[in-house]
Amino acid sequence: MNTDELKSVAAAIVAREKGILAADESSPTIKKRFASIGVESTEENRRRYRELLFTAEGIERHISGVILYDETIRQSSKEGVPFPQVLAGRGIIPGIKVDKSAKPLALQPGNKITEGLDSLRDRLAEYKQLGAKFAKWRAVMEIDEHSLPSAYAIRANCHALARYAALCQEASLVPIVEPEVLMDGAHDIGRCESITSAMLETLFGELDAHGVVFEGALLKPNMVIPGKKCALQASSQQVAEATIRCLRRYVPAAVPGIVFLSGGQSPEEATDNLNAMNVIRGNCPWQLSFSYGRALQEPVLAAWKGEEKNVAEAQRVFSRRCQLNGLAREGLYNRSMEDS
């Protein structure tokens, strides 16, 4: 483990005015997204789309790192340059999704466990050779108003996250740990805060027990937000206050940064909520940044539609979305900017 390298990479990922592009959609997920714009999900179309993102003008001013999928880290630009080299050449740090997705947790109805620890040590060594500097593992918590998730599901997923993080640091890769409390369902913001609190408290206990160096790791949590079907939705101010309250209680000051997932929010909502947190952040010890997938890409897909003639406009839309989130990262975003 190269502790100095871990600290340096983690700090660079959460540099001021910057955040992460999550371009690590699984094959089924990107197939759905392409279907929404009438594009077939072939390997070449996926490669073309990722190249569109990675080569958009000026994104290095607001994108510090990109999370890649196993297929994508092995792909190249049309000139034959491997994508990790394309990104690194622009000062953007390549990363890799390493989990094998969530599956039903045995004897725990409604709960899930993320798989992928088997052979992870060998896979991390290969990804390091391919150019990755950090990795990501997502644990998914379905939530309802009463019984989900179970206490055991929380412990099992946090234990797996800690094992993954330790293996990453052993390989000198910065682990991004992603305990996601889903925003599906009808639960209110208080229920989300309660479960998010339990996740974070358990997670950092496990990370500490596994010897993970907090200064060389990053947290990718959900925002504390009501379920989509909840009758009482929350303002960006309420989301910001609940989220920061939760983080202050359970996230150690040694963690250099928190890169929020968008979790099904609209691009505007995700940017607005991130901005609100940075406006009221006060003396928070960690950087508050973003690691967005759909919230950065949704408008890009709509502009691209799979057609070469639309690439320039799609890249312009993407660059603008990156810029707005870079502003939100500093508490300088305003909704009126969406129309300018």
Side-chain angles (χ1 to χ4, degrees):
M1 177 173 70
N2 187 330
T3 304
D4 289 340
E5 180 184 354
L6 292 171
K7 292 178 180 178
S8 175
V9 172
I13 291 172
V14 291
R16 298 291 297 269
E17 301 181 25
K18 294 185 178 183
I20 297 171
L21 164 65
D24 60 335
E25 299 88 356
S26 65
S27 298
T29 298
I30 201 162
K31 183 177 181 180
K32 290 178 186 175
R33 294 188 183 172
F34 277 12
S36 72
I37 57 169
V39 174
E40 186 181 1
S41 183
T42 63
E43 181 178 355
E44 175 57 16
N45 281 341
R46 293 191 294 271
R47 191 206 63 76
R48 288 172 56 227
Y49 174 62
R50 263 59 183 264
E51 182 170 17
L52 178 161
L53 296 172
F54 303 161
T55 59
E57 184 178 355
I59 62 166
E60 65 274 8
R61 291 195 289 271
H62 303 292
I63 297 296
S64 57
V66 174
I67 308 172
L68 303 169
Y69 189 57
D70 181 79
E71 175 187 78
T72 317
I73 200 172
R74 305 173 193 280
Q75 291 177 323
S76 301
S77 69
K78 58 187 175 185
E79 287 82 17
V81 182
F83 279 152
Q85 290 183 30
V86 171
L87 294 169
R90 307 188 69 182
I92 298 172
I93 302 169
I96 181 70
K97 165 190 164 77
V98 299
D99 67 71
K100 296 289 188 179
S101 301
K103 305 292 192 300
L105 182 58
L107 306 182
Q108 295 277 314
N111 291 282
K112 294 184 176 180
I113 184 73
T114 300
E115 298 182 344
L117 288 171
D118 290 350
S119 75
L120 180 56
R121 178 180 274 118
D122 294 336
R123 290 191 292 124
L124 291 173
E126 181 187 14
Y127 289 137
K128 181 81 171 175
Q129 287 293 318
L130 290 169
K133 299 288 188 183
F134 69 96
K136 189 207 78 169
W137 179 290
R138 175 178 179 244
V140 180
M141 291 288 107
E142 293 193 13
I143 176 174
D144 63 14
E145 298 99 307
H146 308 293
S147 59
L148 290 178
S150 70
Y152 175 71
I154 291 174
R155 290 199 309 274
N157 276 283
C158 288
H159 181 81
L161 277 166
R163 287 185 60 192
Y164 140 81
L167 284 165
C168 282
Q169 291 194 337
E170 178 187 79
S172 294
L173 290 168
V174 170
I176 294 182
V177 290
E178 181 178 359
E180 180 179 4
V181 176
L182 296 174
M183 62 181 292
D184 302 327
H187 56 277
D188 62 17
I189 193 170
R191 175 69 174 159
C192 181
E193 183 172 359
S194 174
I195 297 302
T196 302
S197 297
M199 282 289 293
L200 294 177
E201 182 177 23
T202 305
L203 173 62
F204 282 99
E206 288 285 352
L207 290 170
D208 187 47
H210 282 72
V212 172
V213 178
F214 291 163
E215 292 87 348
L218 297 171
L219 174 67
K220 180 174 178 175
N222 55 280
M223 298 177 191
V224 175
I225 198 164
K228 293 178 183 177
K229 298 177 183 176
C230 180
L232 186 61
Q233 289 298 307
S235 66
S236 59
Q237 181 75 13
Q238 290 171 315
V239 170
E241 290 173 354
T243 303
I244 288 182
R245 178 171 60 242
C246 186
L247 297 173
R248 283 188 184 278
R249 288 173 176 165
Y250 300 106
V251 181
V255 175
I258 296 167
V259 290
F260 292 99
L261 58 91
S262 51
Q265 301 173 64
S266 73
E268 296 81 7
E269 287 170 339
T271 308
D272 212 2
N273 288 335
L274 176 65
N275 184 78
M277 280 185 271
N278 278 295
V279 167
I280 68 167
R281 59 169 291 130
N283 61 348
C284 287
W286 353 262
Q287 296 297 315
L288 300 178
S289 187
F290 61 91
S291 178
Y292 291 165
R294 194 184 334 178
L296 282 173
Q297 296 183 51
E298 192 173 80
V300 184
L301 285 164
W304 178 51
K305 298 184 178 69
E307 298 185 24
E308 199 64 28
K309 65 181 182 180
N310 296 330
V311 167
E313 174 61 15
Q315 289 183 320
R316 187 197 66 77
V317 169
F318 179 52
S319 295
R320 178 60 173 163
R321 199 78 245 148
C322 294
Q323 180 188 31
L324 292 174
N325 281 288
L327 290 168
R329 167 84 176 73
E330 304 300 319
L332 299 174
Y333 165 83
N334 188 289
R335 278 275 185 138
S336 63
M337 294 175 179
E338 295 288 346
D339 301 321
S340 63

